[in-house]
Amino acid sequence: AQSVTQLGSHVSVSEGALVLLRCNYSSSVPPYLFWYVQYPNQGLQLLLKYTSAATLVKGINGFEAEFKKSETSFHLTKPSAHMSDAAEYFCAVSGGSNYKLTFGKGTLLTVNP
Amino acid sequence: EAGVAQSPRYKIIEKRQSVAFWCNPISGHATLYWYQQILGQGPKLLIQFQNNGVVDDSQLPKDRFSAERLKGVDSTLKIQPAKLEDSAVYLCASSLKTRQGFYNEQFFGPGTRLTVL
């Protein structure tokens, strides 16, 4: 069984400030972990993924995430927020032979000018 | 490369009516997924196909939902009869063939937003 908990359904930051979106996971097998972004009325776009290689993963648009097994966490960060980062972000875990994705409930990021 | 196509983009129906959604995956992608995304929640997998066979349909409400992928390419998801709680966005995704020990990225379509009145 696998699950994801995203802490904070809504995060608000100022433009240029640090973005930190939190994700904790539970998995009975070594997990693959993902962050997806969803803009209004669009599908999900993969930001980055962890698939058991380097624990610090760099993604698109300046985002990165660090896999911490001891903390069962995979938090998403970006040093400086841009207005275009405003969207909903989903953390997901995958494990097992089917690589079924289990998503968290999402975090809505708003960026204030 | 064309992405995952879905139609219609929006659909409004009354409860107890039936509705169907269509998905055309990226060319060459053997694996196709249907997800249900209720407002305020993350997507939930309804069914996964590998070619025209079902891999996982454990979370599909089979009393009212059905899906098919007859020729292993495009797919249709049907709801009959619809209930108010079926209001959601239905996302289709596709990936290269799933195989043990090798993850293939899922690519998502824009979704169909269903409103049941």
Side-chain angles (χ1 to χ4, degrees):
Chain A
Q2 53 193 31
S3 65
V4 169
T5 302
Q6 290 185 241
L7 301 175
S9 59
H10 186 196
V11 170
S12 182
V13 300
S14 299
E15 191 172 20
L18 172 71
V19 175
L20 171 61
L21 304 183
R22 300 177 186 274
C23 171
N24 288 90
Y25 71 91
S26 172
S27 177
S28 58
V29 297
Y32 289 177
L33 294 159
F34 310 85
W35 277 99
Y36 284 85
V37 61
Q38 187 175 36
Y39 297 99
N41 299 315
Q42 295 187 27
L44 280 76
Q45 180 184 6
L46 182 66
L47 273 180
L48 49 78
K49 63 180 183 286
Y50 166 78
T51 55
S52 73
T55 57
L56 182 61
V57 181
K58 295 186 183 298
I60 61 172
N61 301 337
F63 285 94
E64 64 181 36
E66 185 172 9
F67 172 67
K68 292 186 176 180
K69 185 177 179 180
S70 61
E71 299 177 9
T72 61
S73 69
F74 191 59
H75 301 331
L76 182 71
T77 60
K78 182 175 180 177
S80 177
H82 192 272
M83 296 296 289
S84 61
D85 295 327
E88 189 147 27
Y89 292 79
F90 293 93
C91 181
V93 62
S94 175
S97 59
N98 293 339
Y99 295 103
K100 172 181 173 179
L101 281 175
T102 299
F103 287 87
K105 292 187 175 182
T107 298
L108 181 65
L109 175 67
T110 57
V111 182
N112 304 307
Chain B
E1 177 181 278
V4 176
Q6 291 187 246
S7 67
R9 291 294 314 276
Y10 305 91
K11 188 73 176 178
I12 301 174
I13 62 172
E14 295 189 350
K15 60 183 179 183
R16 292 188 289 274
Q17 287 186 323
S18 62
V19 65
F21 313 127
W22 176 81
C23 172
N24 193 30
I26 292 172
S27 178
H29 280 192
T31 309
L32 185 147
Y33 312 78
W34 282 103
Y35 290 86
Q36 180 192 56
Q37 185 179 13
I38 293 173
L39 185 66
Q41 299 182 21
K44 179 184 79 172
L45 179 68
L46 292 176
I47 188 167
Q48 176 183 348
F49 291 95
Q50 180 103 299
N51 297 311
N52 61 351
V54 175
V55 174
D56 184 346
D57 64 355
S58 57
Q59 298 192 92
L60 186 73
K62 299 180 184 62
D63 58 334
R64 297 184 301 105
F65 285 65
S66 64
E68 59 184 16
R69 195 184 183 200
L70 294 176
K71 297 182 179 179
V73 181
D74 58 346
S75 175
T76 302
L77 176 69
K78 296 179 181 178
I79 307 175
Q80 181 179 7
K83 292 185 175 182
L84 297 177
E85 58 261 36
D86 298 332
S87 294
V89 175
Y90 291 85
L91 294 166
C92 179
S94 70
S95 71
L96 293 171
K97 184 176 180 179
T98 302
R99 49 192 173 98
Q100 185 69 32
F102 193 82
Y103 172 78
N104 286 304
E105 180 181 344
Q106 294 184 31
F107 293 84
F108 285 80
T112 296
R113 182 177 298 275
L114 173 67
T115 302
V116 182
L117 302 176

